[in-house]
Amino acid sequence: MTAIASNHSISTQNNHIFSFQSVIRNKTTDQKSLSAYEWLSENEFVQLEGQGTFGFHNFEAANKQFQAIYFTLKGDLAAHYAFFRGIVLAGQPKEVYLENIHENRSFTLKFYKKNEAVAKEYLEKIFRIVNDEIRFKQVLRKVLINQEKHRLEEKLLFNELSH
C-alpha cells in the first residue's frame, strides 16, 4: 500500500506543519491467486471432504474440465448452516452450481475449470454475507443485553424513589 502526503509548509513560528491533500492507496495484489479449493482450505470454518476433476473423454476436442469440491461447515459457521443454505438457495451464477446435501449438511461446489474465478468470487460473497450476519447478531445481542440492564436499573431507581 502506498500513501502520498503533500503540501509541506512552514509556519511563521518555524513549526513544521503537514497537511494531507490526498492519499492514494494501491491495493496489494496477490502474485499468485488462490484457487477455489485453496481458498476453501484456508477458511477456518470449512472442513474439506475432497475434490475431483473430470474431463469429457468423448469430447476431448472441447477441452473442458469439470471440477467438484466437497465440503462441510464447522465451528461457529456450522451453527448457521440454515442461513448459509438459504443464501445458497437464493440464487447462483449460471457458471457455478453449489449443491446442498441436506441429509449430511454438506455442500458440493461444481464448475468448469475455466469458471474457477467466478466460483471463488461466489464463495467469497456467500461467506462475507454470512459472516456479516453473524457479526450483526452478536452486536444486536449486546445491544439488547445493555437495554435490558438499563431497563432494570431504571426500575430499581424508580422503586427506590417511590418509597
Side-chain angles (χ1 to χ4, degrees):
M1 178 168 39
T2 306
I4 299 174
S6 61
N7 194 16
H8 173 266
S9 62
I10 301 175
S11 72
T12 56
Q13 299 170 346
N14 243 358
N15 293 330
H16 293 284
I17 300 173
F18 289 88
S19 63
F20 286 99
Q21 289 189 352
S22 65
V23 175
I24 301 171
R25 292 184 183 205
N26 296 333
K27 290 183 178 178
T28 56
T29 56
D30 285 336
Q31 299 297 359
K32 180 186 168 272
S33 182
L34 295 176
S35 69
Y37 184 82
E38 292 168 334
W39 187 85
L40 281 170
S41 70
E42 289 185 0
N43 191 312
E44 65 183 296
F45 300 112
V46 172
Q47 175 67 45
L48 287 172
E49 304 294 328
Q51 74 171 338
T53 303
F54 311 98
F56 297 96
H57 301 292
N58 296 342
F59 303 99
E60 293 202 23
N63 196 21
K64 290 188 175 183
Q65 287 205 328
F66 191 72
Q67 178 120 15
I69 302 173
Y70 312 97
F71 67 94
T72 57
L73 303 176
K74 68 177 186 179
D76 291 340
L77 202 57
H80 294 84
Y81 163 80
F83 182 68
F84 189 92
R85 181 175 178 250
I87 297 295
V88 169
L89 293 174
Q92 307 173 25
K94 63 181 178 174
E95 301 90 354
V96 177
Y97 180 64
L98 184 54
E99 178 184 20
N100 171 242
I101 298 93
H102 191 59
E103 292 76 27
N104 61 359
R105 298 182 131 207
S106 67
F107 296 89
T108 303
L109 177 66
K110 300 174 183 177
F111 56 92
Y112 284 108
K113 194 73 170 156
K114 69 177 184 173
N115 295 326
E116 185 159 12
V118 175
K120 181 181 164 197
E121 185 178 303
Y122 176 62
L123 285 172
E124 289 172 341
K125 182 179 178 180
I126 290 173
F127 278 86
R128 186 174 43 253
I129 289 169
V130 174
N131 286 330
D132 288 348
E133 179 70 15
I134 291 170
R135 180 157 168 25
F136 171 76
K137 285 182 178 181
Q138 290 171 342
V139 170
L140 181 60
R141 185 176 302 116
K142 287 180 183 178
V143 168
L144 292 174
I145 288 171
N146 285 339
Q147 283 181 339
E148 182 62 19
K149 286 180 182 177
H150 183 70
R151 189 187 67 75
L152 291 173
E153 288 173 355
E154 284 181 337
K155 184 177 178 181
L156 179 65
L157 183 60
F158 182 75
N159 285 341
E160 289 295 320
L161 290 175
S162 62
H163 291 295

